[in-house]
Amino acid sequence: MTERDGTAAERDGDGDRHRVELRWRGGGTETVRAAAAESVLEAAERADIGLPFGCRTGACATCTGRLLSGKIEHEREPRALKTDSLADGYVLLCIARPKTDCRIEVGTDVHSDLVTNPWK
């Protein structure tokens, strides 16, 4: 497990930051600190962690993750997720802001859970 908090200046005044653990199904975990005003995707990018993304507006679902623990809030309606997917814990990392410390499953395999492949 790796924790990437950014610069020392970013670590100061940590009161409004939440610890976000990113877990890949194939193995590997990294942890970032997300400020109240940034999305999980933005926090990961600041720490040089590559996550899949597309539109950055919650419309395409390329950045889908699955919340394992903690609480997030979407900054706008997650148009790419159906109600049942939201109920199952799926989140859109481009518009998801952590409200508590979180553990989130990430990667293209998570997005594949929501899409039926017609060629399989």
Side-chain angles (χ1 to χ4, degrees), residues 54-64 74-86 90-92 94-95 114:
C55 68
R56 293 185 179 268
T57 64
C60 76
T62 302
C63 65
T64 299
H74 288 108
E75 64 186 46
R76 67 178 67 91
E77 180 185 350
R79 293 177 290 164
L81 292 178
K82 296 178 180 173
T83 304
D84 58 337
S85 297
L86 287 166
Y90 291 96
V91 296
L92 298 179
C94 69
I95 60 170
L114 304 178

Side-chain angles (χ1 to χ4, degrees), residues 6-26:
T7 66
E10 290 171 334
R11 288 190 299 268
D12 292 340
D14 229 11
D16 68 340
R17 291 180 182 261
H18 296 291
R19 186 174 187 265
V20 180
E21 184 178 292
L22 305 169
R23 296 179 153 225
W24 279 263
R25 281 190 184 159

Side-chain angles (χ1 to χ4, degrees), residues 9-115:
E10 290 171 334
R11 288 190 299 268
D12 292 340
D14 229 11
D16 68 340
R17 291 180 182 261
H18 296 291
R19 186 174 187 265
V20 180
E21 184 178 292
L22 305 169
R23 296 179 153 225
W24 279 263
R25 281 190 184 159
T29 301
E30 298 201 65
T31 303
V32 297
R33 295 254 179 205
E38 69 183 343
S39 69
V40 173
L41 178 62
E42 291 168 336
E45 288 178 328
R46 182 173 39 75
D48 292 326
I49 297 171
L51 295 176
F53 69 92
C55 68
R56 293 185 179 268
T57 64
C60 76
T62 302
C63 65
T64 299
R66 187 164 189 212
L67 187 65
L68 301 173
S69 68
K71 183 178 179 185
I72 68 99
E73 184 175 283
H74 288 108
E75 64 186 46
R76 67 178 67 91
E77 180 185 350
R79 293 177 290 164
L81 292 178
K82 296 178 180 173
T83 304
D84 58 337
S85 297
L86 287 166
D88 288 341
Y90 291 96
V91 296
L92 298 179
L93 302 178
C94 69
I95 60 170
R97 293 183 180 175
K99 296 301 176 191
T100 65
D101 290 351
C102 298
R103 286 185 314 125
I104 303 173
E105 187 177 43
V106 297
T108 56
D109 292 340
V110 179
H111 175 254
S112 297
D113 290 350
L114 304 178
V115 180

